[in-house]
mmCIF file with all atom_site columns, all heavy atoms in Angstrom:
data_model
loop_
_atom_site.group_PDB
_atom_site.id
_atom_site.type_symbol
_atom_site.label_atom_id
_atom_site.label_alt_id
_atom_site.label_comp_id
_atom_site.label_asym_id
_atom_site.label_entity_id
_atom_site.label_seq_id
_atom_site.pdbx_PDB_ins_code
_atom_site.Cartn_x
_atom_site.Cartn_y
_atom_site.Cartn_z
_atom_site.occupancy
_atom_site.B_iso_or_equiv
_atom_site.pdbx_formal_charge
_atom_site.auth_seq_id
_atom_site.auth_comp_id
_atom_site.auth_asym_id
_atom_site.auth_atom_id
_atom_site.pdbx_PDB_model_num
ATOM   1   N N   . TRP A 1 26  ? -1.180  21.254 23.672 1.00 0.00 ? 26  TRP A N   1
ATOM   2   C CA  . TRP A 1 26  ? -1.356  19.797 23.657 1.00 0.00 ? 26  TRP A CA  1
ATOM   3   C C   . TRP A 1 26  ? -0.017  19.063 23.614 1.00 0.00 ? 26  TRP A C   1
ATOM   4   O O   . TRP A 1 26  ? 0.081   17.953 24.136 1.00 0.00 ? 26  TRP A O   1
ATOM   5   C CB  . TRP A 1 26  ? -2.296  19.424 22.494 1.00 0.00 ? 26  TRP A CB  1
ATOM   6   C CG  . TRP A 1 26  ? -3.719  19.833 22.808 1.00 0.00 ? 26  TRP A CG  1
ATOM   7   C CD1 . TRP A 1 26  ? -4.380  20.923 22.318 1.00 0.00 ? 26  TRP A CD1 1
ATOM   8   C CD2 . TRP A 1 26  ? -4.581  19.238 23.764 1.00 0.00 ? 26  TRP A CD2 1
ATOM   9   N NE1 . TRP A 1 26  ? -5.614  21.013 22.892 1.00 0.00 ? 26  TRP A NE1 1
ATOM   10  C CE2 . TRP A 1 26  ? -5.790  19.993 23.784 1.00 0.00 ? 26  TRP A CE2 1
ATOM   11  C CE3 . TRP A 1 26  ? -4.507  18.106 24.590 1.00 0.00 ? 26  TRP A CE3 1
ATOM   12  C CZ2 . TRP A 1 26  ? -6.872  19.668 24.590 1.00 0.00 ? 26  TRP A CZ2 1
ATOM   13  C CZ3 . TRP A 1 26  ? -5.596  17.759 25.384 1.00 0.00 ? 26  TRP A CZ3 1
ATOM   14  C CH2 . TRP A 1 26  ? -6.763  18.551 25.386 1.00 0.00 ? 26  TRP A CH2 1
ATOM   15  N N   . TYR A 1 33  ? -1.255  12.999 29.192 1.00 0.00 ? 33  TYR A N   1
ATOM   16  C CA  . TYR A 1 33  ? -2.539  12.523 28.642 1.00 0.00 ? 33  TYR A CA  1
ATOM   17  C C   . TYR A 1 33  ? -2.447  11.017 28.305 1.00 0.00 ? 33  TYR A C   1
ATOM   18  O O   . TYR A 1 33  ? -3.353  10.234 28.614 1.00 0.00 ? 33  TYR A O   1
ATOM   19  C CB  . TYR A 1 33  ? -2.876  13.333 27.382 1.00 0.00 ? 33  TYR A CB  1
ATOM   20  C CG  . TYR A 1 33  ? -4.265  13.067 26.873 1.00 0.00 ? 33  TYR A CG  1
ATOM   21  C CD1 . TYR A 1 33  ? -5.375  13.731 27.368 1.00 0.00 ? 33  TYR A CD1 1
ATOM   22  C CD2 . TYR A 1 33  ? -4.507  12.094 25.854 1.00 0.00 ? 33  TYR A CD2 1
ATOM   23  C CE1 . TYR A 1 33  ? -6.660  13.467 26.929 1.00 0.00 ? 33  TYR A CE1 1
ATOM   24  C CE2 . TYR A 1 33  ? -5.794  11.843 25.427 1.00 0.00 ? 33  TYR A CE2 1
ATOM   25  C CZ  . TYR A 1 33  ? -6.846  12.525 25.931 1.00 0.00 ? 33  TYR A CZ  1
ATOM   26  O OH  . TYR A 1 33  ? -8.127  12.274 25.501 1.00 0.00 ? 33  TYR A OH  1
ATOM   27  N N   . GLY A 1 65  ? -8.249  14.990 15.474 1.00 0.00 ? 65  GLY A N   1
ATOM   28  C CA  . GLY A 1 65  ? -7.994  15.076 16.908 1.00 0.00 ? 65  GLY A CA  1
ATOM   29  C C   . GLY A 1 65  ? -7.815  13.772 17.568 1.00 0.00 ? 65  GLY A C   1
ATOM   30  O O   . GLY A 1 65  ? -8.376  13.479 18.655 1.00 0.00 ? 65  GLY A O   1
ATOM   31  N N   . GLY A 1 67  ? -5.504  12.378 19.136 1.00 0.00 ? 67  GLY A N   1
ATOM   32  C CA  . GLY A 1 67  ? -4.691  12.257 20.362 1.00 0.00 ? 67  GLY A CA  1
ATOM   33  C C   . GLY A 1 67  ? -3.590  11.229 20.181 1.00 0.00 ? 67  GLY A C   1
ATOM   34  O O   . GLY A 1 67  ? -2.880  11.264 19.163 1.00 0.00 ? 67  GLY A O   1
ATOM   35  N N   . ASP A 1 86  ? -3.886  14.782 14.191 1.00 0.00 ? 86  ASP A N   1
ATOM   36  C CA  . ASP A 1 86  ? -4.033  15.605 15.401 1.00 0.00 ? 86  ASP A CA  1
ATOM   37  C C   . ASP A 1 86  ? -3.170  16.881 15.188 1.00 0.00 ? 86  ASP A C   1
ATOM   38  O O   . ASP A 1 86  ? -2.165  16.877 14.477 1.00 0.00 ? 86  ASP A O   1
ATOM   39  C CB  . ASP A 1 86  ? -3.518  14.814 16.620 1.00 0.00 ? 86  ASP A CB  1
ATOM   40  C CG  . ASP A 1 86  ? -3.991  15.451 17.918 1.00 0.00 ? 86  ASP A CG  1
ATOM   41  O OD1 . ASP A 1 86  ? -3.377  16.457 18.361 1.00 0.00 ? 86  ASP A OD1 1
ATOM   42  O OD2 . ASP A 1 86  ? -4.963  14.988 18.481 1.00 0.00 ? 86  ASP A OD2 1
ATOM   43  N N   . ILE A 1 87  ? -3.571  17.942 15.881 1.00 0.00 ? 87  ILE A N   1
ATOM   44  C CA  . ILE A 1 87  ? -2.836  19.188 15.750 1.00 0.00 ? 87  ILE A CA  1
ATOM   45  C C   . ILE A 1 87  ? -1.501  19.146 16.484 1.00 0.00 ? 87  ILE A C   1
ATOM   46  O O   . ILE A 1 87  ? -0.608  19.897 16.190 1.00 0.00 ? 87  ILE A O   1
ATOM   47  C CB  . ILE A 1 87  ? -3.723  20.353 16.322 1.00 0.00 ? 87  ILE A CB  1
ATOM   48  C CG1 . ILE A 1 87  ? -3.312  21.701 15.828 1.00 0.00 ? 87  ILE A CG1 1
ATOM   49  C CG2 . ILE A 1 87  ? -3.697  20.317 17.871 1.00 0.00 ? 87  ILE A CG2 1
ATOM   50  C CD1 . ILE A 1 87  ? -4.319  22.786 16.147 1.00 0.00 ? 87  ILE A CD1 1
ATOM   51  N N   . ASP A 1 115 ? -4.553  20.231 11.405 1.00 0.00 ? 115 ASP A N   1
ATOM   52  C CA  . ASP A 1 115 ? -5.532  21.012 12.198 1.00 0.00 ? 115 ASP A CA  1
ATOM   53  C C   . ASP A 1 115 ? -6.903  20.723 11.624 1.00 0.00 ? 115 ASP A C   1
ATOM   54  O O   . ASP A 1 115 ? -7.167  20.932 10.422 1.00 0.00 ? 115 ASP A O   1
ATOM   55  C CB  . ASP A 1 115 ? -5.155  22.506 12.049 1.00 0.00 ? 115 ASP A CB  1
ATOM   56  C CG  . ASP A 1 115 ? -6.139  23.410 12.828 1.00 0.00 ? 115 ASP A CG  1
ATOM   57  O OD1 . ASP A 1 115 ? -7.115  22.934 13.409 1.00 0.00 ? 115 ASP A OD1 1
ATOM   58  O OD2 . ASP A 1 115 ? -5.867  24.623 12.847 1.00 0.00 ? 115 ASP A OD2 1
ATOM   59  N N   . ALA A 1 116 ? -7.827  20.316 12.494 1.00 0.00 ? 116 ALA A N   1
ATOM   60  C CA  . ALA A 1 116 ? -9.190  19.980 12.014 1.00 0.00 ? 116 ALA A CA  1
ATOM   61  C C   . ALA A 1 116 ? -9.906  21.193 11.429 1.00 0.00 ? 116 ALA A C   1
ATOM   62  O O   . ALA A 1 116 ? -10.882 21.053 10.727 1.00 0.00 ? 116 ALA A O   1
ATOM   63  C CB  . ALA A 1 116 ? -9.966  19.404 13.185 1.00 0.00 ? 116 ALA A CB  1
ATOM   64  N N   . PHE A 1 132 ? -13.490 12.518 18.071 1.00 0.00 ? 132 PHE A N   1
ATOM   65  C CA  . PHE A 1 132 ? -13.842 12.140 19.446 1.00 0.00 ? 132 PHE A CA  1
ATOM   66  C C   . PHE A 1 132 ? -13.180 13.137 20.406 1.00 0.00 ? 132 PHE A C   1
ATOM   67  O O   . PHE A 1 132 ? -11.936 13.277 20.432 1.00 0.00 ? 132 PHE A O   1
ATOM   68  C CB  . PHE A 1 132 ? -13.356 10.722 19.743 1.00 0.00 ? 132 PHE A CB  1
ATOM   69  C CG  . PHE A 1 132 ? -13.917 9.680  18.786 1.00 0.00 ? 132 PHE A CG  1
ATOM   70  C CD1 . PHE A 1 132 ? -13.063 8.715  18.252 1.00 0.00 ? 132 PHE A CD1 1
ATOM   71  C CD2 . PHE A 1 132 ? -15.264 9.669  18.480 1.00 0.00 ? 132 PHE A CD2 1
ATOM   72  C CE1 . PHE A 1 132 ? -13.569 7.766  17.359 1.00 0.00 ? 132 PHE A CE1 1
ATOM   73  C CE2 . PHE A 1 132 ? -15.762 8.716  17.573 1.00 0.00 ? 132 PHE A CE2 1
ATOM   74  C CZ  . PHE A 1 132 ? -14.905 7.760  17.017 1.00 0.00 ? 132 PHE A CZ  1
ATOM   75  N N   . ASN A 1 133 ? -14.009 13.806 21.191 1.00 0.00 ? 133 ASN A N   1
ATOM   76  C CA  . ASN A 1 133 ? -13.526 14.696 22.259 1.00 0.00 ? 133 ASN A CA  1
ATOM   77  C C   . ASN A 1 133 ? -12.661 15.814 21.677 1.00 0.00 ? 133 ASN A C   1
ATOM   78  O O   . ASN A 1 133 ? -11.642 16.172 22.289 1.00 0.00 ? 133 ASN A O   1
ATOM   79  C CB  . ASN A 1 133 ? -12.741 13.875 23.291 1.00 0.00 ? 133 ASN A CB  1
ATOM   80  C CG  . ASN A 1 133 ? -13.593 12.774 23.880 1.00 0.00 ? 133 ASN A CG  1
ATOM   81  O OD1 . ASN A 1 133 ? -14.696 13.034 24.361 1.00 0.00 ? 133 ASN A OD1 1
ATOM   82  N ND2 . ASN A 1 133 ? -13.108 11.541 23.821 1.00 0.00 ? 133 ASN A ND2 1
ATOM   83  N N   . LEU A 1 137 ? -12.991 21.834 21.226 1.00 0.00 ? 137 LEU A N   1
ATOM   84  C CA  . LEU A 1 137 ? -11.674 22.456 21.330 1.00 0.00 ? 137 LEU A CA  1
ATOM   85  C C   . LEU A 1 137 ? -11.298 23.310 20.142 1.00 0.00 ? 137 LEU A C   1
ATOM   86  O O   . LEU A 1 137 ? -10.249 23.953 20.118 1.00 0.00 ? 137 LEU A O   1
ATOM   87  C CB  . LEU A 1 137 ? -10.657 21.374 21.507 1.00 0.00 ? 137 LEU A CB  1
ATOM   88  C CG  . LEU A 1 137 ? -10.780 20.504 22.784 1.00 0.00 ? 137 LEU A CG  1
ATOM   89  C CD1 . LEU A 1 137 ? -9.846  19.332 22.739 1.00 0.00 ? 137 LEU A CD1 1
ATOM   90  C CD2 . LEU A 1 137 ? -10.510 21.362 24.018 1.00 0.00 ? 137 LEU A CD2 1
HETATM 91  C C1  . LIG B 2 .   ? -9.233  15.627 24.714 1.00 0.00 ? 1   LIG B C1  1
HETATM 92  S S1  . LIG B 2 .   ? -8.044  15.117 23.513 1.00 0.00 ? 1   LIG B S1  1
HETATM 93  C C2  . LIG B 2 .   ? -8.940  13.758 22.742 1.00 0.00 ? 1   LIG B C2  1
HETATM 94  C C3  . LIG B 2 .   ? -8.008  12.785 22.040 1.00 0.00 ? 1   LIG B C3  1
HETATM 95  C C4  . LIG B 2 .   ? -8.727  11.540 21.471 1.00 0.00 ? 1   LIG B C4  1
HETATM 96  N N1  . LIG B 2 .   ? -9.598  11.878 20.377 1.00 0.00 ? 1   LIG B N1  1
HETATM 97  C C5  . LIG B 2 .   ? -9.498  10.861 22.545 1.00 0.00 ? 1   LIG B C5  1
HETATM 98  O O1  . LIG B 2 .   ? -10.709 10.842 22.527 1.00 0.00 ? 1   LIG B O1  1
HETATM 99  O O2  . LIG B 2 .   ? -8.818  10.351 23.461 1.00 0.00 ? 1   LIG B O2  1
HETATM 100 C C6  . LIG B 2 .   ? -8.179  16.338 22.346 1.00 0.00 ? 1   LIG B C6  1
HETATM 101 C C7  . LIG B 2 .   ? -7.203  16.204 21.189 1.00 0.00 ? 1   LIG B C7  1
HETATM 102 O O3  . LIG B 2 .   ? -7.597  17.080 20.157 1.00 0.00 ? 1   LIG B O3  1
HETATM 103 C C8  . LIG B 2 .   ? -6.438  17.687 19.618 1.00 0.00 ? 1   LIG B C8  1
HETATM 104 N N2  . LIG B 2 .   ? -6.838  18.979 19.038 1.00 0.00 ? 1   LIG B N2  1
HETATM 105 C C9  . LIG B 2 .   ? -7.228  20.127 19.666 1.00 0.00 ? 1   LIG B C9  1
HETATM 106 N N3  . LIG B 2 .   ? -7.562  21.067 18.810 1.00 0.00 ? 1   LIG B N3  1
HETATM 107 C C10 . LIG B 2 .   ? -7.419  20.513 17.565 1.00 0.00 ? 1   LIG B C10 1
HETATM 108 C C11 . LIG B 2 .   ? -7.610  20.965 16.252 1.00 0.00 ? 1   LIG B C11 1
HETATM 109 N N4  . LIG B 2 .   ? -8.041  22.216 15.984 1.00 0.00 ? 1   LIG B N4  1
HETATM 110 N N5  . LIG B 2 .   ? -7.340  20.110 15.210 1.00 0.00 ? 1   LIG B N5  1
HETATM 111 C C12 . LIG B 2 .   ? -6.928  18.859 15.461 1.00 0.00 ? 1   LIG B C12 1
HETATM 112 N N6  . LIG B 2 .   ? -6.689  18.348 16.698 1.00 0.00 ? 1   LIG B N6  1
HETATM 113 C C13 . LIG B 2 .   ? -6.957  19.186 17.720 1.00 0.00 ? 1   LIG B C13 1
HETATM 114 C C14 . LIG B 2 .   ? -5.471  17.778 20.794 1.00 0.00 ? 1   LIG B C14 1
HETATM 115 O O4  . LIG B 2 .   ? -4.165  17.865 20.388 1.00 0.00 ? 1   LIG B O4  1
HETATM 116 C C15 . LIG B 2 .   ? -5.799  16.493 21.540 1.00 0.00 ? 1   LIG B C15 1
HETATM 117 O O5  . LIG B 2 .   ? -4.983  15.429 21.097 1.00 0.00 ? 1   LIG B O5  1
#
Side-chain angles (χ1 to χ4, degrees):
W26 289 102
Y33 189 85
D86 197 280
I87 202 168
D115 181 355
F132 304 133
N133 303 306
L137 297 170

